[in-house]
Amino acid sequence: MNKIFGVVSLAILSFVFLGNALKSVVTSTVFVSEGEFASFLNISVDKTQILVELLIGSSVMALAVAPFLLTRQRAHKIASISALVAAGCYAVLGLTMTMGPALFVRELMVIITFALGGFFISFFAPIAQLAINDVENERERVFLTTVWTSAQPVAFLITPQLVKYVALDIGTGNYFLIFAIFPIFYLFLTKTVLKTSEAQITNKETLSSEKIDWQTIGFIIVTIAAFEAWTLSNSLSGVISAISLSFMGAFFIVALIAGLHLKKKRQQDTLKNVDEEVQKKGLPPTATFLLIGLFILEVPSTGFFDGAYLIRHLCAPTLIEDRASLGAASQITAVALGGALFVRWPRLMPVLLLSGILLLLIGSLGFIRYPDLPVDASFFYYSKMVAQAGMGLVTTVIVGVVMAECRGNPVMALLPALVIMFGTEFGLEILEIVYQGAKLYGLQEVEAYRVIFYAQVIAIIIALIPCIEGLYLKHKSQKMAAVL
């Protein structure tokens, strides 16, 4: 990192940071501006969660198709389309909120802009990962991975302040009009950052990337759409309503068909390409188990239900906001510290990973005590900070290891962004089902939340299994390499 303060290095840092921060800015803005969106759409504040689900759902869909669509050759084109469409969506959203047309037009514009904008802006994260994967120096790659990982908590830390002191002053509509400039700035950075990647494309890569498997992409989109329809009906109608059960059945049928299609396609590809180079393109075992562990750990670390518990029990808004800010700051610190230690002493990876899981477990155990406490701001702060620090440490280590393990396959290196986002989505929905199930069982609201907190702890303990297996495989491969 000798040229870290040079123009090119600053461009790369900005590109990587914005790649994983911009979609989080939009999501955080909705969280902070729930009251204004509820008034603008003439709905209750609770129903604004639908907007968040729409954003997350479109992001999951984009990240799921990215490995099948995004290559070095197409990176510039996809970045251009994504940036222009995202900028257009947020500009239209800003104009709609500024002009205040009829209610039907407002609803239509919000749905379209949130769905399309969330879909296209989510491509920024895997494009940034593609750029990181092309960096030759191991330390620089880990450093940029740390920047990429820290972008999301930084966005959640800064955005509430922007909404309070900027959006409230100039109006949320003008706020989104200004935000529409950032995707264009990201597009400008691609001209500097991604040109190196294109220079590395071989003729074989160019030929193999010409064909897009639209059939597989179609199966993925339909499966995720079915999942989103099911989860949305759970929020609106309840988990045991006839509509929700019908959507659940449809989702499992679609998922089964899609799974069989993917399995058949993989078998066909294996038969067609049996040479060593293609075989190396599969996801390495270490990366596989660590990504499974990260997916499970995203379930208890959504941060929604512990915050919702405090809101439901009339804690002061300043306490909840300060708690969220301290948690984000703690996560940023852990990401930076973990990344620095990982760069300096790579052999500390197992210690860093297990320490992160332990911190997340301790913080989550603290959540279980919430129903037994009166308002205890210090305990609420510390438990959140410890849990967020643990998750930041875990994410930094796992993403860094996966990126290193997938150096020979840039497509597989795109998976961390999908795992993080889909794990969050899955966690929100699974815990919502746990909550509604506890209420149906006859538990009062406080005890239903306690069941959620226990479920979060159980998920962390379960995640230890694939993480330990991944560490064992990593140790085994290093030992074999040393012998050879």
Side-chain angles (χ1 to χ4, degrees):
M1 299 299 294
N2 296 328
K3 299 179 180 178
I4 190 170
F5 295 110
V7 175
V8 174
S9 296
L10 287 176
I12 294 174
L13 288 173
S14 301
F15 178 81
V16 170
F17 179 81
L18 292 177
N20 204 30
L22 290 181
K23 74 175 185 297
S24 299
V25 171
V26 180
T27 306
S28 184
T29 298
V30 176
F31 274 125
V32 179
S33 307
E34 285 181 327
E36 183 165 353
F37 276 102
S39 176
F40 182 69
L41 297 174
N42 195 25
I43 58 177
S44 66
V45 174
D46 290 341
K47 297 300 182 184
T48 58
Q49 290 299 326
I50 297 174
L51 298 179
V52 177
E53 291 184 14
L54 190 62
L55 280 170
I56 294 178
S58 60
S59 295
V60 169
M61 193 172 290
L63 295 172
V65 302
F68 299 92
L69 194 62
L70 185 59
T71 62
R72 288 188 180 96
Q73 182 194 12
R74 288 192 287 264
H76 266 296
K77 185 175 182 180
I78 293 176
S80 300
I81 295 173
S82 299
L84 293 174
V85 174
C89 285
Y90 295 118
V92 170
L93 177 61
L95 289 173
T96 303
M97 298 190 75
T98 302
M99 298 170 63
L103 180 60
F104 170 76
V105 177
R106 280 180 271 167
E107 292 173 340
L108 184 63
M109 287 298 100
V110 168
I111 292 172
I112 292 175
T113 55
F114 269 57
L116 282 179
F119 179 83
F120 283 99
I121 206 170
S122 296
F123 277 102
F124 292 3
I127 291 173
Q129 283 184 318
L130 196 65
I132 295 172
N133 198 54
D134 286 325
V135 175
E136 294 296 333
N137 185 280
E138 176 69 21
R139 290 194 172 190
E140 289 185 19
R141 198 162 60 247
V142 174
F143 174 76
L144 290 173
T145 300
T146 303
V147 173
W148 183 89
T149 306
S150 66
Q152 186 171 340
V154 168
F156 280 112
L157 180 64
I158 295 176
T159 305
Q161 315 310 319
L162 290 176
V163 173
K164 284 182 187 177
Y165 301 110
V166 177
L168 291 180
D169 186 38
I170 66 174
T172 305
N174 291 324
Y175 171 87
F176 276 107
L177 285 173
I178 295 172
F179 178 79
I181 298 172
F182 284 92
I184 302 299
F185 179 61
Y186 182 88
L187 176 59
F188 172 76
L189 291 174
T190 63
K191 304 302 179 183
T192 301
V193 176
L194 291 181
K195 63 182 180 182
T196 304
S197 300
E198 286 208 0
Q200 296 173 348
I201 300 174
T202 64
N203 291 333
K204 187 170 184 178
E205 282 179 302
T206 303
L207 290 173
S208 63
S209 62
E210 286 179 352
K211 295 181 179 179
I212 299 176
D213 188 357
W214 290 112
Q215 187 179 30
T216 298
I217 291 175
F219 272 108
I220 292 173
I221 290 176
V222 172
T223 302
I224 294 176
F227 177 77
E228 294 300 325
W230 172 36
T231 56
L232 185 62
S233 67
N234 286 338
S235 300
L236 295 176
S237 306
V239 294
I240 61 171
S241 68
I243 296 176
S244 296
L245 294 175
S246 299
F247 277 122
M248 181 183 70
F251 163 69
F252 282 114
I253 292 172
V254 171
L256 177 62
I257 296 172
L260 292 174
H261 167 77
L262 291 174
K263 182 180 179 181
K264 182 180 178 181
K265 182 179 181 301
R266 183 174 179 82
Q267 291 173 343
Q268 291 174 344
D269 291 342
T270 302
L271 292 174
K272 289 179 182 178
N273 307 294
V274 294
D275 58 278
E276 183 180 353
E277 182 181 355
V278 174
Q279 289 299 318
K280 287 168 62 178
K281 289 191 175 183
L283 188 62
T286 298
T288 301
F289 281 100
L290 290 181
L291 284 175
I292 292 172
L294 180 61
F295 177 84
I296 298 173
L297 288 172
E298 289 294 334
V299 171
S301 63
T302 61
F304 177 77
F305 288 96
D306 48 286
Y309 175 83
L310 298 181
I311 293 173
R312 293 281 184 92
H313 291 79
L314 305 178
C315 289
T318 52
L319 183 153
I320 295 169
E321 292 168 3
D322 291 343
R323 178 176 177 271
S325 297
L326 289 171
S330 177
Q331 186 171 358
I332 295 167
T333 303
V335 168
L337 180 61
L341 292 173
F342 195 10
V343 170
R344 182 65 181 85
W345 297 290
R347 291 183 178 275
L348 287 179
M349 186 271 288
V351 176
L352 293 173
L353 178 58
L354 294 176
S355 297
I357 295 175
L358 180 61
L359 288 174
L360 179 59
L361 180 61
I362 293 172
S364 299
L365 284 170
F367 298 162
I368 295 175
R369 289 202 60 204
Y370 282 15
D372 300 323
L373 295 174
V375 176
D376 187 342
S378 296
F379 188 82
F380 294 157
Y381 293 157
Y382 291 138
S383 59
K384 182 68 170 179
M385 292 170 67
V386 170
Q388 291 286 92
M391 195 59 204
L393 196 56
V394 167
T395 305
T396 301
V397 173
I398 292 181
V399 172
V401 172
V402 171
M403 296 284 282
E405 290 280 322
C406 297
R407 279 288 291 148
N409 184 3
V411 174
M412 290 299 174
L414 305 178
L415 290 177
L418 171 62
V419 169
I420 291 170
M421 183 59 68
F422 189 63
T424 302
E425 165 87 349
F426 188 77
L428 286 171
E429 301 306 333
I430 286 296
L431 294 178
E432 173 68 20
I433 291 172
V434 169
Y435 175 75
Q436 291 195 31
K439 294 291 291 289
L440 290 171
Y441 186 71
L443 297 179
Q444 297 299 316
E445 185 179 58
V446 171
E447 292 306 313
Y449 271 103
R450 195 195 299 274
V451 171
I452 289 178
F453 299 147
Y454 274 117
Q456 290 176 325
V457 170
I458 292 171
I460 296 170
I461 295 173
I462 293 173
L464 272 170
I465 299 172
C467 287
I468 291 174
E469 179 66 18
L471 292 176
Y472 170 73
L473 292 173
K474 179 72 172 175
H475 172 73
K476 187 177 178 181
S477 64
Q478 290 175 340
K479 192 174 180 179
M480 291 179 63
V483 171
L484 296 175

